[in-house]
């Protein structure tokens, strides 16, 4: 399903590459999740690229520091080589998305790559926090955790504004890929 290269119409041009960011790597069925995402990418004329373990499974002699660095280096390389990113920003171990995925979103954004997120609950972040933690709205309109007085970011955003302002948000991975595909195909022309 490759496209033709404009410089040499007889030579296929590689498909736009999409880095598949998310905490899915931690799930028991991660391989099936990434196979499904890659298949979805293929139907849209994209190449899905799952995160890498840096080849550590092949070399169990490495210590934790070496393993961590190899995983980091491999995924930084994959994001640099990608044309865009979809990111699973569903809550992970609490109210917030996976911190590694958030880093990958920021890194891709800093590189100027389009990022479309998915898995974000409808409604506002402040509403979700206040449903989980006792909060109050002060006379100044600022929402704070009642016990600690810590401000809860309002502004009607579905996540922290640094994520909502730097990404597009769709409900599902399928919708995220459908939104990203035209951007990447237009950029490849």
């Amino acid at each position: 399903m490759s496209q033709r290269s404009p410089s040499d119409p007889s030579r296929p041009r590689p498909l736009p590459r999409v880095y598949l960011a998310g905490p899915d790597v931690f799930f028991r069925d991660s391989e099936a999740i990434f196979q499904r995402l890659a298949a979805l990418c293929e139907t849209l004329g994209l190449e899905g690229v799952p995160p890498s373990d840096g080849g550590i499974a092949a070399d169990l002699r490495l210590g934790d520091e070496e393993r961590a660095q190899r995983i980091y280096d491999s995924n930084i390389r994959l994001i640099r080589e990608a044309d865009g990113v979809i990111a699973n920003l569903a809550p992970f171990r609490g109210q917030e998305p996976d911190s590694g995925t958030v880093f990958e979103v920021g890194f891709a954004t800093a590189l100027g790559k389009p990022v479309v997120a998915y898995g974000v609950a409808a409604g506002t972040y402040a509403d979700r926090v206040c449903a989980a933690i006792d909060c109050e709205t002060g006379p100044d309109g600022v929402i704070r955790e009642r016990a600690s007085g810590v401000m809860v970011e309002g502004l009607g955003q579905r996540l922290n504004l640094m994520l909502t302002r730097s990404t597009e948000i769709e409900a599902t991975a399928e919708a995220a890929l459908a939104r990203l595909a035209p951007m990447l195909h237009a950029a490849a022309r």
Side-chain angles (χ1 to χ4, degrees), residues 21-184:
D24 310 276
V25 296
F26 300 115
F27 302 148
R28 288 185 195 272
D29 61 344
S30 63
E31 188 173 327
I33 291 169
F34 289 118
Q35 286 174 350
R36 183 182 73 80
L37 292 173
L40 288 169
C41 287
E42 190 174 332
T43 66
L44 295 167
L46 304 169
E47 179 187 352
V49 179
S52 171
D53 72 355
I56 62 172
D59 190 354
L60 297 176
R61 297 170 294 139
L62 298 175
D64 285 350
E65 287 297 315
E66 292 171 292
R67 293 163 58 110
Q69 190 64 46
R70 196 181 274 189
I71 292 168
Y72 173 83
D73 291 341
S74 294
N75 289 310
I76 290 296
R77 180 184 49 78
L78 291 175
I79 294 167
R80 285 185 189 280
E81 292 172 354
D83 299 295
V85 172
I86 64 165
N88 180 352
L89 294 183
F92 185 70
R93 298 183 179 137
Q95 297 292 323
E96 297 281 340
D98 169 57
S99 58
T101 305
V102 170
F103 170 84
E104 291 173 334
V105 167
F107 185 70
T109 300
L111 294 173
K113 297 179 186 294
V115 179
V116 182
Y118 65 96
V120 179
T124 70
Y125 173 73
D127 288 344
R128 288 191 304 279
V129 169
C130 292
I133 300 170
D134 186 24
C135 296
E136 63 186 351
T137 303
D140 57 359
V142 175
I143 303 167
R144 295 189 179 278
E145 295 176 16
R146 192 178 307 271
S148 67
V150 173
M151 183 180 84
V152 176
E153 183 178 307
L155 306 175
Q157 303 298 295
R158 291 172 65 183
L159 288 171
N160 179 285
L161 68 89
M162 298 304 282
L163 290 169
T164 62
R165 305 318 326 154
S166 63
T167 66
E168 304 292 332
I169 298 176
E170 293 292 341
T172 64
E174 293 85 353
L177 285 166
R179 189 162 189 177
L180 183 62
M183 289 184 244
L184 299 183

